[in-house]
Amino acid sequence: MTKKINLNFMCVIAVSILLSAGFTAAVSYRMFQKEVFSDLSSFAEVIGHPDLMGQMKEQAVAISDSALRITWIDQDGSVLYDSYAKDRVLSNHGSRPEIMEAFLNGEGSCIRKSQTMEQSIFFYARRLEDGTVIRMAKEAGSIWKIYKNTVPATLAAALLSFLVSMWIAGCLTRALIRPIAQMAENMDHLEERNVYRELGPFLERIRSQHEETLKNAKIRQEFTANVSHELKTPLTSISGYSELIASGMASKEEGQHFARAIQSSAQRLLTLINDILRLSELDDPGAHCQSFELLDVWDAAGHCLEMMKPVAEKHGVTLSLEGTSLLVHGDRGLLEELIYNLCDNAVRYNRRGGHVWMRVTDCLTIQDDGIGIPVRYQDRVFERFFRVDKSRSKKTGGTGLGLAIVKHIAEVHHAELSLESDENKGTAVCVRFPE
């Protein structure tokens, strides 16, 4: 970043110096031209009188060694007198730009390049009282010659300016980058490093992302520990019972009992692995958006009701569905899984003779009159592997991931989850889909 800023500074400084040098030279040359024409105008005003010009013609005044050239032109363009010509006859000057402009407007000027391009010839013409025109000419340095003469000094000044500017730019860059580097070294105390007010929103975003990263890292760590613990229990059970059977120490009846225990642990292990894989799939909400379609929550709830009836009868719980049609955009499989997990949770954590109501109105509500959830645990029930009553969860076959899957499915559908529960009275979970 520092190199990039310094490189940008170098480019800006170099361009600025070149533009400044060019602009200065152009303005200086413009002022030089204005000064030369002013001098020629003054000379023309001093000697620009027909009688004086007539005397110079009669006396054949020749001043070819002078830098100033004087030419007197008649109304038809013929040359009456030229200080450089002596006895030579000059061609008609009526077509010269400065002569034509003088005849037309009273005065005219023009700059023409000399053959060497090292000099420029400045012409100034003025119309006299008798209609003739006097023209003053002077050779002076062209803009190329001015540049040539000032190149060494200009280069020296430009180089010095460039070096000084780069040193200042380096100091500014280091001063600009230093606080940012210090913030990068200490991400836990960004509020103490807020040197620039403009970085406030940027720092706030970094702080929130840093906190979210730490939170996710902690969640992953806890998830790994929980997974290891949850997998260890059924695997230990399977390993222990299988060793007893393999050793031949168990009787036939005990062997059958051990086999059923192994089957139960294996089934629990398989269910746990399936839930973990399901959560892994749901970690990418955008992966399921392509399968979204317009579907009716009432139909999905009715299908789940049919699937849950055997489980509800086993636990002595009554299921009911009421409400009306509710059309939403979503994934049918995920939506049915959400409803099934909520109903399954409501049935498992109920008491015999209890009820589970599914209501479909402007939202989906699943309510039970079961054991309820203590207030202190209600904010955590959607966490992975969180159980209010661990012994009851294992007894009912729960993995602790059902509500976590519900939360992820709701996020995929951009739905809002809300929970209300009273201990020993029941729980109600509401899923409100976006309109």
Side-chain angles (χ1 to χ4, degrees):
M1 182 177 180
T2 303
K3 291 182 179 180
K4 188 174 182 180
I5 293 176
N6 285 332
L7 180 61
N8 290 335
F9 269 128
M10 288 175 61
C11 294
V12 171
I13 291 169
V15 171
S16 299
I17 291 175
L18 291 175
L19 291 177
S20 298
F23 181 75
T24 301
V27 171
S28 299
Y29 187 67
R30 184 64 179 173
M31 293 178 64
F32 172 73
Q33 289 179 343
K34 188 175 181 180
E35 186 67 24
V36 171
F37 281 126
S38 179
D39 292 341
L40 294 177
S41 176
S42 299
F43 289 139
E45 187 175 355
V46 170
I47 64 175
H49 192 277
D51 295 339
L52 179 59
M53 294 305 302
Q55 293 177 10
M56 293 178 67
K57 178 182 179 182
E58 291 176 1
Q59 296 175 8
V61 177
I63 49 175
S64 57
D65 57 343
S66 172
L68 184 66
R69 181 177 182 179
I70 305 171
T71 306
W72 187 24
I73 300 96
D74 201 356
Q75 296 181 25
D76 59 359
S78 60
V79 177
L80 300 175
Y81 166 74
D82 189 284
S83 61
Y84 276 21
K86 295 184 180 180
D87 297 329
R88 289 186 294 113
V89 178
L90 299 178
S91 61
N92 191 289
H93 280 32
S95 60
R96 304 292 171 89
E98 67 277 8
I99 304 301
M100 295 174 63
E101 188 177 356
F103 278 129
L104 184 63
N105 301 321
E107 61 179 359
S109 60
C110 182
I111 301 175
R112 289 194 284 274
K113 303 294 182 182
S114 65
Q115 295 179 351
T116 61
M117 292 294 290
E118 291 284 335
Q119 297 286 327
S120 293
I121 305 176
F122 291 74
F123 294 96
Y124 175 79
R126 174 176 290 186
R127 188 178 61 206
L128 303 183
E129 297 176 356
D130 62 351
T132 59
V133 169
I134 181 174
R135 187 187 70 177
M136 315 299 294
K138 181 180 180 179
E139 278 193 344
S142 67
I143 188 170
W144 307 111
K145 188 172 183 180
I146 291 176
Y147 274 136
K148 182 178 179 181
N149 294 335
T150 59
V151 162
T154 302
L155 287 178
L159 181 60
L160 180 61
S161 300
F162 183 79
L163 294 176
V164 171
S165 299
M166 282 307 303
W167 178 77
I168 295 174
C171 294
L172 292 175
T173 302
R174 287 191 293 273
L176 177 66
I177 297 300
R178 189 180 300 112
I180 301 176
Q182 291 173 350
M183 288 187 290
E185 294 173 359
N186 191 357
M187 297 291 291
D188 294 325
H189 299 87
L190 289 177
E191 65 279 355
E192 300 175 4
R193 302 287 185 181
N194 192 1
V195 179
Y196 307 120
R197 182 180 60 185
E198 294 80 5
L199 289 178
F202 176 67
L203 291 179
E204 184 61 32
R205 185 172 182 83
I206 290 180
R207 184 185 296 110
S208 62
Q209 289 180 345
H210 180 59
E211 292 174 353
E212 184 177 354
T213 301
L214 294 177
K215 181 180 178 181
N216 290 337
K218 185 178 179 181
I219 291 174
R220 284 194 297 269
Q221 185 178 9
E222 292 177 353
F223 180 71
T224 303
N226 288 329
V227 167
S228 301
H229 176 74
E230 294 292 336
L231 292 175
K232 182 179 179 181
T233 302
L235 285 174
T236 301
S237 177
I238 292 172
S239 177
Y241 286 129
S242 61
E243 285 181 6
L244 289 174
I245 294 175
S247 66
M249 297 174 60
S251 63
K252 184 177 180 180
E253 291 77 10
E254 288 176 333
Q256 292 177 351
H257 171 72
F258 293 160
R260 286 193 296 270
I262 291 173
Q263 183 183 15
S264 176
S265 296
Q267 184 61 42
R268 174 174 170 76
L269 188 61
L270 182 61
T271 302
L272 182 62
I273 292 173
N274 287 335
D275 284 349
I276 293 172
L277 293 175
R278 194 67 176 134
L279 276 175
S280 179
E281 293 174 0
L282 291 171
D283 276 337
D284 183 12
H288 302 273
C289 293
Q290 295 180 353
S291 60
F292 274 23
E293 59 179 318
L294 187 64
L295 50 89
D296 195 338
V297 177
W298 172 267
D299 292 339
H303 184 251
C304 290
L305 178 66
E306 294 299 323
M307 289 192 298
M308 280 299 302
K309 276 184 177 180
V311 179
E313 291 174 357
K314 180 181 177 181
H315 288 79
V317 176
T318 302
L319 292 175
S320 64
L321 173 63
E322 56 188 41
T324 184
S325 175
L326 175 61
L327 298 178
V328 299
H329 283 278
D331 182 287
R332 182 176 296 277
L334 292 182
L335 186 59
E336 290 181 353
E337 185 175 359
L338 178 145
I339 300 172
Y340 184 89
N341 282 349
L342 288 175
C343 287
D344 183 65
N345 214 60
V347 169
R348 290 178 185 275
Y349 292 92
N350 212 315
R351 54 177 62 89
R352 297 195 69 82
H355 292 79
V356 174
W357 297 273
M358 287 190 289
R359 298 188 185 92
V360 181
T361 54
D362 58 340
C363 63
L364 169 66
T365 304
I366 297 178
Q367 184 178 358
D368 64 72
D369 55 358
I371 63 175
I373 303 171
V375 176
R376 63 182 182 277
Y377 296 135
Q378 291 181 12
D379 292 336
R380 301 189 59 191
V381 292
F382 292 102
E383 295 180 7
R384 300 177 181 185
F385 291 112
F386 181 80
R387 298 184 181 93
V388 176
D389 187 345
K390 294 185 179 180
S391 61
R392 183 180 179 93
S393 296
K394 292 183 178 180
K395 184 178 179 181
T396 59
T399 62
L401 295 175
L403 290 181
I405 293 175
V406 167
K407 178 183 176 183
H408 277 67
I409 294 175
E411 290 175 352
V412 169
H413 290 81
H414 304 288
E416 295 181 4
L417 274 177
S418 59
L419 180 144
E420 294 181 3
S421 182
D422 290 323
E423 197 170 359
N424 298 319
K425 292 185 178 180
T427 302
V429 179
C430 178
V431 184
R432 188 173 298 277
F433 297 92
E435 297 181 0

